[in-house]
Amino acid sequence: MSFDDSDEHDEEPFHPLGESWQDGLEDALEDTEYDAELGMEMAKDAMRVTEGTLSEEEFYDRYHDDVVEEFGEDSRPMAEEIEAAREEEGRFEETLSRFGVGEDSRRSVMKKMGGAGAVGLGAWGATNSGGTDSAFLQDEDQEADEPDDTNGEGVQWGMALDLEHCDGCLSCVVACAEEHDWDQGANWMYVLAYEDDTVSSPDAGDFESTEDFEYLIRPCQHCTDAPCEKVCPTTARHTRDSDGLVLTDYDVCIGCRYCQVACPYGVNYFQWENPEVGEDELDEDHVYDERDRPVSARGPRGVMEKCTFCPTRQDGSLGDEMVGTTACEDACPPEVIQFGNMNDPNSDPQRYIENTAKSRTLVRTAGDLPSPEDLEEALDGEDDDLESIVNAVEDLDEEMIGNLVSIAILSDEEQLETEENSSLVEQEADALELVEVLEDHGLDLEDEELLIELDLAEEPDEDEEFEGPSEELAQQRLDTFAGDPDSKFKLLEGIGTDPNVVYLGNEPGPNAHQVEGPVSYADVGQTDDRKDVLDEGTVGIDGPSL
């Protein structure tokens, strides 16, 4: 193998999940018909590519011959682009030669342009590295200031996950299993309770609230730069151009499991046996995406599968009302899963990240508020002062009115404009409609005395004019009511995969480990670990780790 001469083997484990996880993956690869050592080395270097310590071109060159020898082809995603770039580089050198530029001068020009990495590789992030006029690299019809038509300008599906208010109910796990028919233990969605050096979870048999536990929700991260895709020799594992979803084409997957080793997050599963749900029981509209590729629902025997972010929903195959939603999000009682377009500032996840306290308030109060019609009926014939309104409406106390007015103060009409299905937009619109009913009834939301009573304005000094409602005080009120997360993070952000899942609160420490949660997988008819179902597990270790 050519890679043996390129690098000494590292004694330290390369996988972020640790030595036992890595050893288990290697053991699993050795049970396949494919070269386990090649898979391990490619996975290690794929992570080096995302970290920026190895170039895409070096990675391609290092393993090209071995991949062709092992699989008969090299269809890795960078292959076509690199070969095209080299061909373009050769044509460019030939052009310089025809214009009488000598060999040394040609080398100088190519060096300034960054070699093949600077020409025609915009699809995988190459940029002009300096020295030349940037307009030289543009199509003649492209304006100099026109942005590239990349996924960053379009849709990128992702999630915001509020760990501080996850209650460990496992509803998301059950919903995912029902939607996608994966086998017992092959959990595409995983929720685990944990503790580490700084935080602890209570004993599973002795706790006051399920929210007293520390949780980590672990779907696929749908990385912008996915190492699992880099090692796939057949293009089965790929990133969908239209929306950035990282998917597996079941018709193309050969089950080499290299993607499983290269995933830093441990979210891939191999379909060992014939699936428990037969092919004739699957809905084709839920299997094939808009490109007619089988990428959703459980996979057939011998292929890799994982969380997909419900691509057939995003394609509209299951109805327009399903676009911008996932099964796990729909099933989550505390609504801590917020799914949407990460490139849209008005999407649910971005709204939740931008103002978590406001979003939490909308989520928590949505089910407790009266309808506008019921509010109008309850207020009919009542006085318009705050006390009279509170006394007249059973579901509306002073705190709730203060929260509604705070939301109105912080609301921006542009934030209510989005092209996708958005529960937060709907909840905010409902809240604003209730505020409008209160104003129509006669409650003066510009009144100095009322705003001061609701802690939404400062009482002015004698020689000062009243400044009206305060956005700062409105935000403070919502922060006090719903809380502001102590951290916002992405898993393993430092390794350069750029995941499209953002976590809010409860960031696990380096020594975090799983503990028993308040709701067991058996309690909801699921299995915690695939090893409990099969003689051979998916990764061959004692249990999931962080």
Side-chain angles (χ1 to χ4, degrees), residues 91-163:
R91 288 198 297 265
F92 181 57
E93 284 199 88
E94 182 180 350
T95 300
L96 292 177
S97 178
R98 287 204 307 269
F99 279 95
V101 180
E103 182 177 354
D104 290 342
S105 297
R106 293 202 303 272
R107 289 176 179 171
S108 177
V109 171
M110 294 304 297
K111 183 176 180 180
K112 287 181 179 180
M113 290 189 63
V119 183
L121 300 183
W124 50 278
T127 59
N128 178 26
S129 59
T132 62
D133 183 356
S134 60
F136 181 84
L137 302 178
Q138 297 172 337
D139 294 333
E140 291 181 3
D141 295 333
Q142 183 182 15
E143 295 294 331
D145 57 354
E146 181 181 344
D148 291 335
D149 185 17
T150 64
N151 190 56
E153 299 296 328
V155 175
Q156 173 61 68
W157 297 118
M159 283 181 172
L161 301 176
D162 189 348
L163 299 180

Side-chain angles (χ1 to χ4, degrees), residues 161-201:
L161 301 176
D162 189 348
L163 299 180
E164 289 184 353
H165 290 285
C166 175
D167 61 6
C169 68
L170 304 184
S171 295
C172 58
V173 178
V174 174
C176 182
E178 291 177 348
E179 175 114 351
H180 299 290
D181 293 309
W182 39 256
D183 289 353
Q184 283 282 308
N187 302 305
W188 293 10
M189 190 69 168
Y190 201 93
V191 180
L192 52 89
Y194 74 89
E195 58 187 16
D196 57 25
D197 295 340
T198 59
V199 298
S200 62
S201 289

Side-chain angles (χ1 to χ4, degrees), residues 346 351 358 407-417 428 432:
N346 295 331
R351 288 165 62 88
K358 176 184 171 184
I407 290 168
I409 292 171
L410 296 171
S411 183
D412 181 347
E413 288 188 7
E414 292 184 0
Q415 284 189 318
L416 300 179
E417 298 176 2
E428 184 166 340
L432 295 179

Side-chain angles (χ1 to χ4, degrees), residues 243-256:
D243 53 19
L245 294 186
V246 180
L247 303 172
T248 305
D249 187 327
Y250 296 148
D251 279 351
V252 180
C253 179
I254 59 175
C256 69

Side-chain angles (χ1 to χ4, degrees), residues 84 217 522:
I217 307 169

Side-chain angles (χ1 to χ4, degrees), residues 413-472:
E413 288 188 7
E414 292 184 0
Q415 284 189 318
L416 300 179
E417 298 176 2
T418 181
E419 295 181 357
E420 63 190 69
N421 297 310
S422 171
S423 59
L424 286 176
V425 167
E426 292 175 4
Q427 289 163 350
E428 184 166 340
D430 291 343
L432 295 179
E433 190 172 353
L434 291 177
V435 172
E436 186 177 350
V437 171
L438 292 174
E439 288 184 298
D440 290 344
H441 180 68
L443 189 65
D444 185 1
L445 298 183
E446 297 293 330
D447 179 69
E448 177 180 344
E449 184 176 337
L450 174 63
L451 290 171
I452 292 174
E453 182 179 355
L454 294 175
D455 294 325
L456 294 175
E458 298 279 3
E459 187 170 356
D461 295 333
E462 291 184 6
D463 57 344
E464 293 181 341
E465 291 186 5
F466 179 62
E467 295 183 356
S470 165
E471 290 189 4
E472 181 179 356

Side-chain angles (χ1 to χ4, degrees), residues 312-373:
T312 54
R313 286 188 177 217
Q314 314 323 327
D315 294 344
S317 302
L318 305 183
D320 291 342
E321 71 279 4
M322 293 289 196
V323 177
T325 72
T326 60
C328 57
E329 178 190 37
D330 285 350
C332 180
E335 298 185 45
V336 300
I337 300 173
Q338 298 290 333
F339 178 82
N341 180 8
M342 301 302 282
N343 289 336
D344 178 4
N346 295 331
S347 68
D348 281 347
Q350 292 294 15
R351 288 165 62 88
Y352 207 96
I353 294 166
E354 176 65 23
N355 195 330
T356 305
K358 176 184 171 184
S359 298
R360 283 176 174 174
T361 302
L362 289 168
V363 166
R364 287 193 196 180
T365 59
D368 299 327
L369 294 170
S371 68
E373 294 75 19

